[in-house]
């Protein structure tokens, strides 16, 4: 009589699935070549980080599925509400379903890093953002009621100043870098705007109003700037953490070989 123990087929299948899952996990956990490994003790680490961000930037428009990073084109801002003025000169407007294209076209003009304190400060340029959405406006100016509802289109450029602070966290006896919420301040450049169906489609009044809006476009965009800053901050903080919490701190920012040898000796 054979002493061999028969293994239940279901258990064999489960074991195979488990082994495959472990292999897939480690394959996915390998740092992809578009994320540059930057030695934290390198005096030129900021150049390495700049190059890594640039390599990532080209992939952000369509997303990075292996890192669970969704496409950032377009950036969606669900609603923006504007309320300004007093009785007799009151401005009230709502914008919804705003889609913004061009967020992945940013250019890094200046980058300062302090990897001892995990500080990252950027100056960026976004050469052109395009947006579209829906608007409704209800305004009183000198007892004249102005109202409309329709489509909103525009484009503009801006120069954001960005600051990020990270801190180390422990997970499964490993050290990771978790980024705090990005601080972003936007300086609006040139802009063009168009609102359709103003005054229920009156072509003369609509054209005149759009002309006035464009002559004061920076004032209009200043009103929506806080919502745009918040949307961009949340988006890029989330993307940063999907990367820095997926790989250990020493994998992303190792010590140079020389420093490792010095520590051993």
């Amino acid at each position: 009589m054979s002493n061999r123990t028969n293994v239940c087929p279901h258990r064999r299948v489960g074991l195979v699935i488990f082994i495959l899952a472990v292999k897939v996990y480690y394959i996915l956990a390998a740092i992809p070549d578009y994320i540059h490994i930057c030695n934290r003790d390198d005096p030129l680490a900021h150049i390495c980080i700049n190059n890594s961000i640039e390599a990532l930037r080209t992939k952000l428009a369509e997303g990075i599925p292996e890192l669970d990073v969704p496409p950032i084109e377009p950036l969606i801002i669900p609603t923006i509400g504007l309320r300004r003025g007093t009785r007799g000169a009151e401005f009230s407007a709502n914008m919804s379903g705003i889609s913004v294209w061009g967020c992945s076209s940013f250019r890094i003009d200046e980058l300062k890093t302090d990897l001892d304190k995990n500080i990252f400060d950027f100056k960026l340029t976004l050469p052109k953002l395009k947006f579209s959405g829906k608007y409704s406006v209800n305004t009183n100016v000198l007892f004249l009621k102005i109202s409309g509802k329709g489509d909103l289109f525009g484009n503009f450029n801006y120069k954001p100043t960005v600051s990020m602070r990270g801190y180390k966290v422990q997970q499964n006896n490993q050290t990771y870098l978790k980024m705090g919420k990005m601080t972003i301040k936007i300086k609006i450049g040139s802009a063009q705007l168009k609102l359709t169906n103003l005054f229920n489609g009156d072509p003369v009044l609509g054209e005149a109003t759009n002309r006035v809006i464009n002559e004061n476009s920076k004032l209009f965009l200043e009103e929506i700037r806080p919502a745009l800053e918040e949307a961009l901050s949340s988006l890029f903080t989330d993307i940063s953490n999907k990367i820095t919490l997926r790989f250990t701190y020493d994998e992303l920012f190792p010590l140079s070989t020389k420093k490792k040898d010095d520590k051993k000796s």
Side-chain angles (χ1 to χ4, degrees):
M1 180 181 295
S2 173
N3 291 325
R4 185 176 63 185
T5 302
N6 291 325
V7 179
C8 174
H10 294 297
R11 290 185 178 179
R12 285 202 300 267
V13 172
L15 181 61
V16 170
I17 292 174
F18 173 77
I19 293 172
L20 288 174
V22 171
K23 288 184 177 180
V24 168
Y25 173 81
Y26 281 105
I27 290 172
L28 291 177
I31 297 180
D33 57 7
Y34 51 81
I35 296 179
H36 297 191
I37 297 172
C38 302
N39 296 119
R40 60 181 181 264
D41 55 326
D42 184 350
L44 299 179
H46 63 288
I47 296 176
C48 176
I49 293 171
N50 187 101
N51 293 337
S52 187
I53 293 172
E54 176 60 22
L56 277 167
R57 183 193 65 76
T58 61
K59 302 177 71 66
L60 290 177
E62 297 180 357
I64 311 174
E66 62 269 29
L67 297 180
D68 195 30
V69 174
I72 69 169
E73 302 285 4
L75 170 66
I76 303 297
I77 303 177
T79 59
I80 298 176
L82 307 179
R83 302 288 185 276
R84 291 291 183 273
T86 58
R87 182 177 298 179
E90 183 180 359
F91 179 82
S92 174
N94 290 296
M95 290 171 281
S96 61
I98 302 168
S99 298
V100 184
W101 288 269
C103 296
S104 63
S105 66
F106 65 84
R107 182 179 70 244
I108 299 176
D109 297 325
E110 183 180 340
L111 168 61
K112 295 181 180 179
T113 63
D114 184 340
L115 288 176
D116 290 329
K117 298 179 180 179
N118 299 310
I119 296 173
F120 306 85
D121 293 328
F122 304 82
K123 289 185 179 179
L124 308 175
T125 294
L126 277 97
K128 188 173 184 178
L129 287 184
K130 297 189 298 182
F131 64 92
S132 65
K134 299 290 184 180
Y135 83 92
S136 63
V137 62
N138 188 13
T139 301
N140 292 310
V141 180
L142 299 177
F143 305 105
L144 174 65
K145 186 176 182 64
I146 302 173
S147 63
K149 181 184 293 185
D151 296 318
L152 167 71
F153 303 95
N155 62 74
F156 62 98
N157 61 58
Y158 69 90
K159 289 181 173 289
T161 300
V162 176
S163 182
M164 297 192 78
R165 302 291 185 272
Y167 53 95
K168 295 177 183 178
V169 296
Q170 297 294 318
Q171 295 180 7
N172 300 320
N173 296 319
Q174 297 281 357
T175 301
Y176 294 82
L177 184 64
K178 182 177 177 62
M179 304 306 298
K181 190 167 185 179
M182 172 189 287
T183 300
I184 179 168
K185 297 297 180 184
I186 292 175
K187 181 180 179 181
I188 302 291
S190 60
Q192 291 181 321
L193 299 166
K194 182 178 181 180
L195 281 66
T196 67
N197 201 44
L198 285 165
F199 300 96
N200 294 318
D202 185 299
V204 176
L205 290 176
E207 183 179 347
T209 303
N210 270 302
R211 186 166 56 249
V212 171
I213 289 173
N214 277 284
E215 289 171 354
N216 298 276
S217 59
K218 287 187 178 181
L219 295 176
F220 180 85
L221 289 172
E222 275 298 313
E223 296 295 327
I224 69 173
R225 180 176 56 81
L228 181 60
E229 288 175 343
E230 175 63 25
L232 289 169
S233 173
S234 297
L235 173 69
F236 285 107
T237 301
D238 183 59
I239 290 173
S240 298
N241 279 320
K242 284 182 183 295
I243 296 170
T244 61
L245 292 176
R246 190 178 186 89
F247 308 105
T248 69
Y249 184 77
D250 284 333
E251 286 176 320
L252 292 173
F253 304 109
L255 286 170
S256 64
T257 303
K258 183 179 184 305
K259 282 291 183 71
K260 288 179 181 177
D261 292 341
D262 290 343
K263 289 182 72 175
K264 290 179 181 178
S265 60

